[in-house]
Amino acid sequence: MDGYEDARRLLGDNGWNAGTSASADAMNLVQGVAEGGGKPTSTELLAALIVLRRLREDLARWEPELITAARELGTSWATIAPALGVASRQAAERRYLRLSPLPSGTSVGEQRVREVRDHRAADRAVSEWARKNAAVLRQLAGQVIGLPGPQQRKLTAALAQDDPTALLAPLTAARERLRHSQPALGDRIEQITERVQELRDASDESRTHGEPR
């Protein structure tokens, strides 16, 4: 099966003709306006666009349903990819995830966009807090670096950066090592870690109530 005509012929020969379905009729109407050779009015053109929009919605719904059915029959992503017009199995899977609806009716793609926006908003809140508390973070980093034991290369590198936010991850990583040997210092880092999480939670909560989900 090399292309569109072969695929269309195979489906027709195997009895999958849609006959007089609503979608087939809608497609014929739009095609008639677009390619019929007449001179449609402005109202007719707008009507064709409305019908075409509904067809696109149907196509977007059918595609993940067909992919799901193919996967359930054991068809590999590598085999599905050419049928979707993409170059790799990874691209096929990404397309499927982007089109697949969540139980709420929101597409995975839309959900991921929101998740990225939420994550960036939380990052901004944490960065602002870190800049305001840069002196405290740098002091803690200096204390950890000055302790005997394994070299804190990541913490040393982060301390050399202008952005104090870079100190948060290596400080958190050092917390477990300090829990027993330097409990007071470990507790201070624990408090910072908890504060960062509170900021992230507050940012997520604010966006949840501030935007339609």
Side-chain angles (χ1 to χ4, degrees):
M1 195 164 43
D2 296 328
Y4 171 77
E5 291 298 336
D6 289 339
R8 180 174 178 175
R9 189 178 304 110
L10 183 145
L11 292 175
D13 292 344
N14 289 346
W16 291 104
N17 195 315
T20 57
S21 73
S23 294
D25 286 344
M27 180 64 76
N28 287 334
L29 289 170
V30 173
Q31 186 175 10
V33 174
E35 301 178 351
K39 293 184 177 180
T41 65
S42 174
T43 301
E44 289 169 338
L45 290 168
L46 291 175
L49 288 171
I50 292 171
V51 173
L52 183 60
R53 182 186 66 196
R54 176 58 182 269
L55 285 171
R56 282 198 301 267
E57 292 171 354
D58 287 340
L59 291 171
R61 174 171 53 85
W62 293 338
E63 184 172 336
E65 291 176 356
L66 292 170
I67 296 172
T68 298
R71 290 290 294 159
E72 289 175 350
L73 290 174
T75 309
S76 70
W77 286 113
T79 303
I80 291 172
L84 298 180
V86 297
S88 67
R89 62 180 182 82
Q90 293 90 345
E93 190 169 6
R94 284 197 299 271
R95 179 176 178 84
Y96 172 68
L97 290 173
R98 188 169 65 251
L99 295 174
S100 297
L102 296 172
S104 64
T106 302
S107 73
V108 172
E110 292 169 345
Q111 180 66 19
R112 285 181 175 170
V113 168
R114 287 175 178 170
E115 288 175 354
V116 169
R117 288 175 178 170
D118 289 349
H119 187 75
R120 288 176 178 172
D123 283 347
R124 287 194 295 270
V126 170
S127 294
E128 183 178 356
W129 178 87
R131 286 192 295 270
K132 291 180 179 178
N133 294 272
V136 173
L137 293 174
R138 294 187 184 282
Q139 181 187 42
L140 282 175
Q143 290 176 343
V144 174
I145 291 171
L147 293 173
Q151 290 187 348
Q152 299 287 330
R153 292 188 178 88
K154 291 183 178 179
L155 192 54
T156 301
L159 189 58
Q161 296 185 32
D162 293 333
D163 185 2
T165 308
L167 294 166
L168 294 173
L171 279 173
T172 300
R175 180 185 56 189
E176 289 301 320
R177 185 174 68 84
L178 300 173
R179 188 179 297 277
H180 300 294
S181 62
Q182 299 286 334
L185 189 54
D187 287 345
R188 290 187 65 192
I189 297 175
E190 177 81 27
Q191 292 171 2
I192 288 174
T193 302
E194 291 176 351
R195 179 56 180 153
V196 167
Q197 188 58 52
E198 289 173 358
L199 290 167
R200 291 190 176 279
D201 292 343
S203 176
D204 291 344
E205 183 73 13
S206 175
R207 287 182 63 81
T208 297
H209 291 297
E211 294 185 357
R213 305 300 278 180

